Amino acid sequence: MRTIVISVISISSMLFVIMIQSTVNGERRQEESMENALASAMYQTMSEVMEQDSYGISNSNQMMAAFLQAMLERMEEGIDLTVRVHQFDYERGRMDVEAIGSYELPSHKKKIITVRRQIAFERIF
């Protein structure tokens, strides 16, 4: 009887640890996905601006639209995304963007991830 109780407690403890690890891994995966999407979208948009011939971005509105489109293409499904532009200077080549993503954990809790990046670029005329 004692062996059965110890076995049940041990198995329960192992399952609990596995569930915690799974939740932590899921949260980290979502956060890495958002970080990668933001960095990739910024890099792609800036390279398109520098090349000018391929995409033809010629003003700040076109650049912002290209950035948001690139960002949305790289996001995983299941994340509600809010993008805040803190600073955007097309003439000086500076961009400060914050992405706020919320998603639901398997335990039905809402998790919010915030990633903020700054980038400087040179436009080629």
Side-chain angles (χ1 to χ4, degrees), residues 64-82:
M64 186 54 63
F67 171 75
L68 292 174
Q69 182 179 3
M71 177 77 180
L72 291 174
E73 286 175 358
R74 285 166 179 73
M75 292 308 300
E76 282 187 13
E77 292 181 19
I79 295 179
D80 294 329
L81 182 66
T82 302

Side-chain angles (χ1 to χ4, degrees), residues 58-60 88-94 121 123 125:
S58 60
N59 62 37
S60 60
F88 180 67
D89 190 346
Y90 183 71
E91 297 302 320
R92 293 185 181 172
R94 293 187 186 140
F121 60 95
R123 293 186 305 131
F125 295 100

Side-chain angles (χ1 to χ4, degrees), residues 89-108:
D89 190 346
Y90 183 71
E91 297 302 320
R92 293 185 181 172
R94 293 187 186 140
M95 184 183 249
D96 183 6
V97 179
E98 179 180 26
I100 303 166
S102 66
Y103 63 96
E104 193 171 310
L105 296 172
S107 63
H108 302 292

Side-chain angles (χ1 to χ4, degrees), residues 34 58 62-63 84 99 125:
M34 184 177 285
S58 60
Q62 290 175 351
M63 185 171 165
R84 290 186 182 158
F125 295 100

Side-chain angles (χ1 to χ4, degrees), residues 20-120:
I20 290 172
Q21 185 66 30
S22 173
T23 302
V24 170
N25 286 340
E27 291 176 14
R28 187 66 194 148
R29 182 178 47 83
Q30 293 284 1
E31 188 173 350
E32 286 176 0
S33 170
M34 184 177 285
E35 288 175 358
N36 291 339
L38 182 58
S40 178
M42 290 180 105
Y43 176 77
Q44 178 187 2
T45 304
M46 296 311 137
S47 65
E48 287 172 356
V49 168
M50 290 180 188
E51 292 171 3
Q52 294 269 331
D53 295 333
S54 64
Y55 197 73
I57 296 174
S58 60
N59 62 37
S60 60
N61 288 338
Q62 290 175 351
M63 185 171 165
M64 186 54 63
F67 171 75
L68 292 174
Q69 182 179 3
M71 177 77 180
L72 291 174
E73 286 175 358
R74 285 166 179 73
M75 292 308 300
E76 282 187 13
E77 292 181 19
I79 295 179
D80 294 329
L81 182 66
T82 302
V83 178
R84 290 186 182 158
V85 180
H86 294 282
Q87 179 187 11
F88 180 67
D89 190 346
Y90 183 71
E91 297 302 320
R92 293 185 181 172
R94 293 187 186 140
M95 184 183 249
D96 183 6
V97 179
E98 179 180 26
I100 303 166
S102 66
Y103 63 96
E104 193 171 310
L105 296 172
S107 63
H108 302 292
K109 290 183 183 178
K110 286 280 189 180
K111 176 73 176 175
I112 296 175
I113 300 172
T114 303
V115 178
R116 186 169 176 174
R117 298 279 168 129
Q118 298 177 356
I119 193 166

